[in-house]
Amino acid sequence: MSNPLESRVIELGKHVVRMTTAAGSGHPSSALSLGHIVGTLMYEQMRYDPCNPWNPASDRLVLSEGHSVPIVYATYADLGGVVGKSPAAKRALTLDDLKTLRELDSVLDGHPNPAEGFPFFDAATGSLGQGLSVGAGLALGARLSKIDKRIFVIIGDGESREGQIWEALDFIIDHKLVNVCPIFNCNGQGQADYVSKQQSADVLVGKLRAFGYDVQDVDGHKMDQIAAAVAKVGKGSMSIAIVARTQKGWGVDSLKDKSNHGKPLTAAQVADAEASLDKVAAELKLSKASGPAPKPPMPPSANGPAKKDKIAVMPFAEAVAKTGMAEAVAKNKLSTRRAYGAALVALGHADERIVAVDGDVSNSTFASLFGKAFPNRFFECKIAEQNMISVAAGLSAAGYIPFASSFAKFLARGYDQLEMAAITRANVKLVGSHAGCSLGADGPSQMSLPDLAYFRAYTNADDGRGNPALTFFHPADAVAAYRLTEMAANINGLCYVRTHRPDVPLIYPQDATFKLGGCGKLAEGNAVTVVGSGYMTTLALAAVRELEKAGVKCNLFDAYCLPMDAEPILSAARKANGVILTVEDNFAGGFNAALAEAAARSGDVKVFAMTCPRIPKSGKDGDIVLAALGLGVQNIVARLKELARG
Amino acid sequence: MSNPLESRVIELGKHVVRMTTAAGSGHPSSALSLGHIVGTLMYEQMRYDPCNPWNPASDRLVLSEGHSVPIVYATYADLGGVVGKSPAAKRALTLDDLKTLRELDSVLDGHPNPAEGFPFFDAATGSLGQGLSVGAGLALGARLSKIDKRIFVIIGDGESREGQIWEALDFIIDHKLVNVCPIFNCNGQGQADYVSKQQSADVLVGKLRAFGYDVQDVDGHKMDQIAAAVAKVGKGSMSIAIVARTQKGWGVDSLKDKSNHGKPLTAAQVADAEASLDKVAAELKLSKASGPAPKPPMPPSANGPAKKDKIAVMPFAEAVAKTGMAEAVAKNKLSTRRAYGAALVALGHADERIVAVDGDVSNSTFASLFGKAFPNRFFECKIAEQNMISVAAGLSAAGYIPFASSFAKFLARGYDQLEMAAITRANVKLVGSHAGCSLGADGPSQMSLPDLAYFRAYTNADDGRGNPALTFFHPADAVAAYRLTEMAANINGLCYVRTHRPDVPLIYPQDATFKLGGCGKLAEGNAVTVVGSGYMTTLALAAVRELEKAGVKCNLFDAYCLPMDAEPILSAARKANGVILTVEDNFAGGFNAALAEAAARSGDVKVFAMTCPRIPKSGKDGDIVLAALGLGVQNIVARLKELARG
């Protein structure tokens, strides 16, 4: 006897066809391959309440192959699931809403997008390969919150070519996250062609077993087989992976060919497609679906981590003492990366939501201090930065505040993951250490140089809630690193903290305060107005002090934040000689661009830049490399003299 | 009886210890774990001529775990291998040179860096996980050039956590590249900790077998076992992977603990380390190494692909006819991505070095046209963008000119790979399609928005040869796409071509010419000076035409290149009302920043920007999304009216 849900899947298939045709775009063939899997999960196996998608106790579904989303929208609408950007703005989705797919004012975005009002999802997906890592982050969060929930992640077979999937599979085993279940949708077709044999169901089964999984090899259109496999998740000591053999365009003959990826039917083809689905229903002897959608099993009640309005850390002196840095402070030499470690520990004491992930460099980023103080809140991701960033996005969705650290350079391979976190409006804090060229001896393969330009682009975009899509912090000394890390923790949104390798003197008093969008004023004068940032502020300060001895007094600002309020700097420059010099350790496009854009709007201040002018090479230490690039103290002095003369 | 090379490895170990101590940084413990592997390859098994590292017939070594490079430097110096930035500047490396490791004027950069004068290597490495993909690209190039050479890639066990390794392993099987051999250095230690069990030799063996490899499981300190495994490479129909069980800090007791990653010994410890190595030699009953280094076996002679000074494509009309686009041209509607496909085909006809890679979206990027015309020069990389970019770097090292295409958004996960290609000075052309927000219905997960800021940072940096580290092209119409793609092919260095999804009218005459650093002048007037770029030029032109009807005449420039010569635009603005408006479909930091920086230096022109102001969402089509973002034609008209009034 057939499962009564099978007839509902037929109807879901019709909705998929109609909604994508109405939208004029979308991926009906991929969605159709998932009808039985999504139906089994959302109608029957997942414990959740469609009327309360914000319930932290719910089982979750991450649709890593985001383009298949119409099948989830259809099922959720059939259940009358709740949509809206917040519980206050909630409403039930109707089957009628499905035809608004991809419209500007619809919650049904082209790909999964919780931020636009579809809270059933935890993460924006659609750039492939990232969902399993998000699921792993959700599972870590559930474990921390002592919530027994399961996370299902649907991944395309072609998508399983993305290396990040294999990073996540390793991570899940390392951390024994048996509650996360990857489901591979093996329909055999990619976009441009069939999938490689390397991504075939048979080879996938072998790979997954070698990675340590209990593999359930099922017919992805047999709901009993899917249900039996799903029911095993979280029950034993092994992680379950489901390999589901499916057919692209299932039920609709005109969508089965490989040329149909991402192509909706024309309006004229819809009736044929419906008839094709009805014919399959008749062949399978399914009775018509009728009555309301079946209620999925309810989750047990549970709470996520407690929220606080403000996270306040202990005084700087106390934190550095606690983390063994008092001597370095006394010697007036403490790197910003080390001070970041102290800040992270202090944050950990202040709020249980603070968690940290790192990619096998925690003894360089100093996330290791947090790992030592809070071993259950530190998650080693090993050398796999993409997975690390998406895990952080998952932890954020679970209510935690994750700090994700690596060398700034290595984070560049995760910019796509960062972009998806930005679209999700995830509360992730990225921390890139060893930034710029002050790293010196290790050479350019370890130097992050275009990152300031990249991140500045995000700081100028709004997140749709009136906040920047990303807030960027660039501490020049240990006090700034401590306080700016605290500030990052208090922002509900994506932040980036950029730290440096070398020890630097303390520029700010230990009780200095910092302001969002602000900058520090370190010297005053009527000659040139100098703007330093990060490590370069130390060099700029040395240059300004040297010029002071020669009787040339400059303004010196430390720009530690983007987006920045440029006006105080422009205003100071107007009162001086009308000339600004920015001094940076990165390629162009950072603070120089921010000030130049502001100056070019006002038209009454000139802005000149010193930035990293070329691809560097190794040198014995950072100062040697900086000098070779024309960014040493003496280079700054010389440039300031030129600009002071006008 | 011991292999006589073993005693040389003892001496190499001493060099490794001494040179890293002299440098004050470096990774002696990692290097020591590789002595026998590198020794077996470089003294005995690899067919190459240390006096001619540029010989295309040579077997190649890619040191993916770049931090271990001191052992390669030591071996190469022992062989008197040739260094220098070009054959004209060549000289033999001496053992004495080793103590210049990491110095500013040394060819021995902190991590492998062929561009700084170490041509034994083909690619800069040091950011992990990328070498095997480079090796695969070298192997593809060798096959195209009909050269029977082998490529050995040394990968750390901890490094094998990087997903890109598994992308490359799949790619090698797909393309039957049996001449590439990954060698996993399983010393069991990462940087911050021991490696995960998931990266242990035992688990790795199982994983590699599941991925389709003939796995050779060897003791990495037994040269006979290594040699026997290496000798199998390229002999059968299966790809060989070597799992070598090694010891970190081999031979030096004080470097074996896990806390020793990346730490050289102090000068005082060097003698002990040498004694420790001598003690091992005594235990193994090795005789002292003496005499000149053994000559490695010479490669057969062979040539790479033929070089041309200038690659000239057929006329535009001929190319669009050949690729079935004549009708679209006649209708005056052809997307830049499609015109890119025509250009790629035309380039393929003009030069056999042109090759293409794509990530399962060739029917969207239109690289598929090249694949159809030149199936043996098109390499499908499937959904694995990181591998794709590094494969392209390998193809470039083999003398080819690779075009690597995907959605611009998905290339973001390969920015680290791009950065390593930039350090290598690889001749790679990246092509990102569906860029900006004109994509519309698919939503933000498919939109590339910070890319202009990111790439602009590179265009402002010098590559050390007087060229930009990257040249950026942004065609507004099909003619521009055709000619700018041709221009990219003619530049010896990294390029990025940004194309768009929608069909656009032809703005330029079919015989238009384009200039490096130039821009097109599309309208003239004395009101505002408008600068469009890419898809936005079409909208800016419509706005300017509309204003013309109202009697307001604007200058309109199409900025199609970075770095750009800003002076013609500034000069036109000075002659008009002194105000520039840039119109872009991306986050801030692109052409606006370029012009604002130039204007802020000159101080006599104001620059205002229209950029993508927030994270977008889906809309039915691109123009709806652009209008919702304030970037529609009417928004531009309104802004121009404001600025014209002053």
Side-chain angles (χ1 to χ4, degrees):
Chain A
M1 210 186 75
S2 71
N3 183 330
L5 288 176
E6 287 184 50
S7 54
R8 290 202 101 82
V9 171
I10 297 289
E11 299 307 311
L12 294 179
K14 294 179 189 173
H15 287 303
V16 162
V17 167
R18 286 183 214 125
M19 69 198 287
T20 49
T21 297
S25 67
H27 301 74
S29 62
S30 305
L32 287 165
S33 69
L34 284 176
H36 298 92
I37 294 169
V38 167
T40 304
L41 289 170
M42 290 181 69
Y43 287 129
E44 185 186 81
Q45 291 291 324
M46 281 174 64
R47 295 166 304 187
Y48 74 114
D49 180 356
C51 297
N52 181 14
W54 295 281
N55 178 356
S58 303
D59 286 353
R60 308 301 294 182
L61 175 61
V62 180
L63 187 67
S64 192
E65 55 161 310
H67 55 277
S68 304
V69 72
I71 188 68
V72 176
Y73 289 158
T75 315
Y76 201 60
D78 192 30
L79 285 156
V82 154
V83 293
K85 290 192 185 181
S86 70
K90 74 178 179 183
R91 68 172 182 87
L93 193 70
T94 67
L95 289 169
D96 231 30
D97 288 326
L98 294 177
K99 57 180 168 246
T100 69
L101 175 69
R102 296 180 162 222
E103 285 183 6
L104 199 57
D105 55 0
S106 173
V107 298
L108 306 178
D109 230 46
H111 289 75
N113 195 341
E116 298 297 348
F118 202 82
F120 176 76
F121 288 128
D122 294 287
T125 52
S127 183
L128 295 172
Q130 306 184 23
L132 188 56
S133 308
V134 172
L138 285 167
L140 287 175
R143 182 190 286 167
L144 273 180
S145 301
K146 300 192 169 42
I147 295 174
D148 177 31
K149 71 182 179 191
R150 298 168 304 169
I151 296 103
F152 301 97
V153 183
I154 298 179
I155 302 162
D157 49 359
E159 180 186 8
S160 76
R161 183 80 165 223
E162 289 286 11
Q164 187 182 351
I165 299 283
W166 304 90
E167 296 175 0
L169 287 163
D170 273 344
F171 183 82
I172 287 168
I173 299 292
D174 268 1
H175 292 272
K176 302 185 174 59
L177 299 171
V178 294
N179 279 12
V180 188
C181 174
I183 302 173
F184 293 89
N185 173 25
C186 294
N187 63 34
Q189 295 182 30
Q191 173 180 322
D193 203 345
Y194 295 104
V195 302
S196 156
K197 183 161 172 276
Q198 291 291 105
Q199 277 66 52
S200 65
D202 289 345
V203 174
L204 257 181
V205 166
K207 287 177 173 179
L208 289 164
R209 287 197 175 126
F211 270 69
Y213 284 76
D214 174 356
V215 182
Q216 302 291 314
D217 187 349
V218 305
D219 180 332
H221 299 297
K222 299 264 188 251
M223 297 181 92
D224 54 341
Q225 289 189 26
I226 301 163
V230 164
K232 290 191 174 131
V233 174
K235 292 292 195 311
S237 63
M238 276 185 87
S239 291
I240 306 280
I242 300 176
V243 172
R245 296 167 192 257
T246 62
Q247 185 176 37
K248 202 153 173 174
W250 184 90
V252 179
D253 290 335
S254 51
L255 284 170
K256 288 177 184 168
D257 285 349
K258 90 167 161 68
S259 55
N260 283 308
H261 182 91
K263 284 189 192 149
L265 297 178
T266 62
Q269 290 174 299
V270 169
D272 271 356
E274 291 174 339
S276 178
L277 281 158
D278 281 333
K279 193 172 142 232
V280 174
E283 284 165 9
L284 295 172
K285 300 187 176 138
L286 307 180
S287 50
K288 272 253 180 240
S290 62
K295 259 194 143 168
M298 288 299 107
S301 76
N303 292 315
K307 283 181 190 170
K308 279 187 188 182
D309 282 344
K310 164 106 184 103
I311 312 169
V313 295
M314 63 187 82
F316 175 78
E318 192 181 331
V320 295
K322 198 183 265 290
T323 48
M325 300 176 199
E327 198 185 341
V329 171
K331 283 184 182 159
N332 199 27
K333 267 172 140 358
L334 185 59
S335 66
T336 50
R337 61 188 170 119
R338 217 171 142 203
Y340 161 71
L344 198 56
V345 170
L347 282 167
H349 285 290
D351 196 312
E352 61 164 4
R353 289 173 300 167
I354 304 291
V355 295
V357 293
D358 191 277
D360 194 36
V361 289
S362 63
N363 52 345
S364 288
T365 61
F366 284 99
S368 57
L369 296 173
F370 183 88
K372 214 172 145 190
F374 305 100
N376 66 325
R377 285 194 264 154
F378 176 78
F379 309 106
E380 176 55 72
C381 296
K382 301 293 179 183
I383 307 173
E385 297 75 11
Q386 300 196 320
N387 177 64
M388 179 181 78
I389 294 172
S390 302
V391 163
L395 280 160
S396 157
Y400 289 87
I401 304 175
F403 282 74
S405 51
S406 182
F407 279 40
K409 172 66 164 61
F410 307 152
L411 294 177
R413 73 201 303 149
Y415 282 180
D416 188 28
Q417 286 72 11
L418 166 90
E419 294 186 12
M420 297 310 293
I423 296 168
T424 303
R425 278 68 160 179
N427 192 17
V428 166
K429 320 298 166 188
L430 279 175
V431 182
S433 72
H434 297 68
C437 24
S438 59
L439 175 64
D442 277 312
S445 69
Q446 323 286 299
M447 294 175 183
S448 183
L449 300 168
D451 58 336
L452 247 133
Y454 177 80
F455 287 111
R456 192 179 78 85
Y458 265 99
T459 66
N460 277 341
D462 188 276
D463 75 348
R465 304 176 295 188
N467 304 318
L470 181 142
T471 310
F472 175 89
F473 296 105
H474 203 200
D477 80 349
V479 176
Y482 189 74
R483 289 296 169 191
L484 297 176
T485 304
E486 179 191 33
M487 204 181 286
N490 278 288
I491 290 173
N492 180 20
L494 202 54
C495 295
Y496 185 79
V497 182
R498 189 178 196 253
T499 67
H500 300 84
R501 185 182 192 286
D503 285 333
V504 283
L506 272 68
I507 291 172
Y508 289 101
Q510 294 193 17
D511 60 353
T513 56
F514 297 81
K515 191 170 93 194
L516 202 57
C519 55
K521 186 154 194 184
L522 302 178
E524 193 151 348
N526 56 8
V528 187
T529 299
V530 190
V531 180
S533 184
Y535 182 70
M536 297 307 286
T537 295
T538 296
L539 305 198
L541 184 58
V544 166
R545 293 270 178 264
E546 186 169 329
L547 279 173
E548 264 171 20
K549 287 181 203 154
V552 180
K553 289 193 164 187
C554 293
N555 289 311
L556 174 59
F557 289 92
D558 172 43
Y560 54 70
C561 188
L562 284 172
M564 75 189 294
D565 178 5
E567 200 41 46
I569 297 175
L570 293 181
S571 170
R574 285 182 199 113
K575 285 178 201 149
N577 75 342
V579 173
I580 291 171
L581 176 68
T582 61
V583 182
E584 296 178 77
D585 66 358
N586 39 271
F587 291 156
F591 286 92
N592 168 246
L595 284 162
E597 288 176 14
R601 285 190 296 268
S602 81
D604 53 359
V605 175
K606 289 191 177 187
V607 183
F608 297 90
M610 295 177 76
T611 57
C612 180
R614 63 173 176 276
I615 299 172
K617 79 173 290 298
S618 292
K620 269 274 173 83
D621 66 37
D623 287 339
I624 288 173
V625 170
L626 284 162
L629 293 166
L631 294 172
V633 174
Q634 289 314 313
N635 304 106
I636 303 171
V637 167
R639 188 75 179 108
L640 284 176
K641 282 182 181 165
E642 284 169 18
L643 293 172
R645 274 196 301 271
Chain B
M1 207 186 78
S2 71
N3 182 330
L5 289 176
E6 286 184 52
S7 55
R8 290 202 101 82
V9 172
I10 297 287
E11 299 307 312
L12 294 180
K14 294 179 188 171
H15 287 303
V16 162
V17 168
R18 286 184 214 122
M19 69 198 287
T20 50
T21 296
S25 67
H27 301 73
S29 62
S30 304
L32 287 165
S33 69
L34 284 176
H36 299 92
I37 294 169
V38 168
T40 304
L41 289 170
M42 290 180 68
Y43 287 129
E44 184 185 79
Q45 291 291 322
M46 281 174 64
R47 294 166 304 187
Y48 74 115
D49 180 356
C51 296
N52 180 14
W54 295 280
N55 180 353
S58 304
D59 286 351
R60 308 299 295 180
L61 175 60
V62 180
L63 188 66
S64 192
E65 56 161 310
H67 56 276
S68 303
V69 71
I71 187 69
V72 176
Y73 290 157
T75 314
Y76 201 60
D78 191 31
L79 285 156
V82 154
V83 294
K85 291 192 186 182
S86 70
K90 74 178 182 184
R91 67 173 184 86
L93 193 72
T94 68
L95 289 169
D96 231 29
D97 288 326
L98 294 178
K99 57 179 167 244
T100 69
L101 174 68
R102 297 181 163 221
E103 284 183 6
L104 199 57
D105 55 0
S106 172
V107 298
L108 307 177
D109 229 46
H111 290 75
N113 195 342
E116 297 297 347
F118 202 82
F120 176 76
F121 288 127
D122 293 288
T125 52
S127 183
L128 296 172
Q130 306 183 24
L132 188 57
S133 308
V134 172
L138 286 167
L140 286 175
R143 182 189 287 167
L144 272 181
S145 301
K146 300 189 169 44
I147 295 173
D148 177 30
K149 70 182 179 192
R150 297 168 304 169
I151 297 103
F152 301 97
V153 182
I154 298 178
I155 302 162
D157 48 359
E159 180 187 9
S160 75
R161 183 79 166 223
E162 289 285 10
Q164 188 183 351
I165 298 283
W166 303 90
E167 296 175 0
L169 287 163
D170 273 343
F171 183 83
I172 287 168
I173 299 292
D174 268 1
H175 293 272
K176 300 185 173 59
L177 299 171
V178 295
N179 278 11
V180 188
C181 175
I183 302 173
F184 293 90
N185 173 25
C186 295
N187 62 35
Q189 295 183 30
Q191 174 181 321
D193 203 344
Y194 295 104
V195 303
S196 157
K197 183 162 171 276
Q198 291 292 104
Q199 277 66 53
S200 66
D202 290 344
V203 174
L204 257 182
V205 166
K207 288 177 172 180
L208 290 164
R209 288 196 176 128
F211 271 68
Y213 284 77
D214 174 356
V215 182
Q216 303 290 314
D217 187 351
V218 305
D219 180 333
H221 299 297
K222 299 266 189 249
M223 296 181 92
D224 53 343
Q225 289 189 27
I226 301 164
V230 163
K232 290 190 175 132
V233 174
K235 292 292 195 310
S237 63
M238 276 185 88
S239 290
I240 307 278
I242 300 176
V243 172
R245 294 165 193 259
T246 62
Q247 185 176 37
K248 202 153 173 173
W250 185 90
V252 179
D253 291 334
S254 52
L255 284 171
K256 288 178 184 168
D257 285 347
K258 90 166 161 68
S259 54
N260 284 308
H261 181 90
K263 285 189 193 150
L265 296 177
T266 62
Q269 290 174 298
V270 169
D272 272 355
E274 291 175 340
S276 178
L277 281 158
D278 281 334
K279 193 171 143 233
V280 174
E283 282 165 10
L284 295 173
K285 298 186 178 142
L286 307 180
S287 52
K288 272 251 182 242
S290 62
K295 259 194 146 169
M298 288 298 109
S301 76
N303 291 317
K307 281 183 190 169
K308 280 188 186 181
D309 282 343
K310 164 109 184 101
I311 312 169
V313 295
M314 62 187 81
F316 174 78
E318 193 181 331
V320 294
K322 198 184 263 293
T323 47
M325 300 176 200
E327 198 186 341
V329 171
K331 284 185 183 161
N332 198 29
K333 266 173 141 359
L334 185 59
S335 65
T336 50
R337 62 188 169 119
R338 215 169 144 205
Y340 161 71
L344 198 56
V345 170
L347 283 167
H349 285 289
D351 196 312
E352 62 164 3
R353 289 173 300 166
I354 303 292
V355 294
V357 292
D358 191 278
D360 193 37
V361 289
S362 63
N363 52 345
S364 288
T365 61
F366 284 97
S368 57
L369 296 173
F370 183 88
K372 215 172 146 189
F374 305 99
N376 68 326
R377 286 194 263 153
F378 176 77
F379 309 106
E380 176 56 70
C381 296
K382 303 292 179 184
I383 308 173
E385 297 75 13
Q386 299 196 321
N387 176 64
M388 178 181 79
I389 294 172
S390 302
V391 163
L395 280 160
S396 157
Y400 289 88
I401 304 176
F403 281 74
S405 51
S406 183
F407 279 40
K409 171 66 164 62
F410 307 153
L411 294 177
R413 72 201 305 148
Y415 282 179
D416 188 28
Q417 286 71 13
L418 165 91
E419 294 186 12
M420 297 309 295
I423 297 169
T424 303
R425 278 67 159 180
N427 191 18
V428 167
K429 319 300 166 188
L430 278 175
V431 182
S433 72
H434 298 67
C437 25
S438 59
L439 174 64
D442 277 313
S445 68
Q446 322 287 299
M447 294 175 184
S448 183
L449 300 169
D451 58 336
L452 247 132
Y454 177 80
F455 288 111
R456 191 178 77 86
Y458 266 97
T459 67
N460 278 341
D462 189 276
D463 75 347
R465 305 176 295 188
N467 304 317
L470 181 142
T471 309
F472 175 90
F473 296 105
H474 203 200
D477 79 351
V479 177
Y482 189 75
R483 287 299 167 191
L484 296 176
T485 303
E486 179 190 33
M487 203 180 286
N490 278 288
I491 289 173
N492 181 19
L494 203 54
C495 295
Y496 185 79
V497 182
R498 190 179 194 253
T499 67
H500 301 85
R501 187 182 190 286
D503 285 333
V504 283
L506 272 69
I507 292 172
Y508 288 100
Q510 294 193 18
D511 60 353
T513 55
F514 297 82
K515 192 170 93 194
L516 203 57
C519 52
K521 186 155 192 184
L522 302 179
E524 194 151 348
N526 56 9
V528 187
T529 298
V530 191
V531 180
S533 185
Y535 181 70
M536 297 307 287
T537 294
T538 296
L539 305 197
L541 184 58
V544 167
R545 293 271 177 263
E546 186 168 328
L547 279 173
E548 265 171 19
K549 287 181 202 154
V552 181
K553 289 192 164 187
C554 293
N555 288 310
L556 174 59
F557 288 92
D558 172 44
Y560 54 71
C561 188
L562 283 171
M564 74 189 295
D565 179 5
E567 200 42 45
I569 297 175
L570 294 181
S571 170
R574 285 183 199 112
K575 285 177 203 149
N577 76 342
V579 173
I580 291 173
L581 175 67
T582 61
V583 182
E584 296 180 78
D585 66 358
N586 39 271
F587 292 155
F591 286 92
N592 167 245
L595 284 162
E597 288 177 14
R601 286 190 295 267
S602 81
D604 53 359
V605 175
K606 289 192 179 189
V607 183
F608 297 91
M610 295 177 76
T611 56
C612 180
R614 63 173 175 275
I615 299 173
K617 80 172 292 298
S618 293
K620 268 275 173 81
D621 67 36
D623 287 339
I624 289 174
V625 170
L626 284 161
L629 293 167
L631 294 172
V633 173
Q634 290 315 314
N635 305 106
I636 302 172
V637 168
R639 188 77 178 107
L640 284 176
K641 283 182 181 167
E642 284 170 15
L643 293 173
R645 275 195 301 271

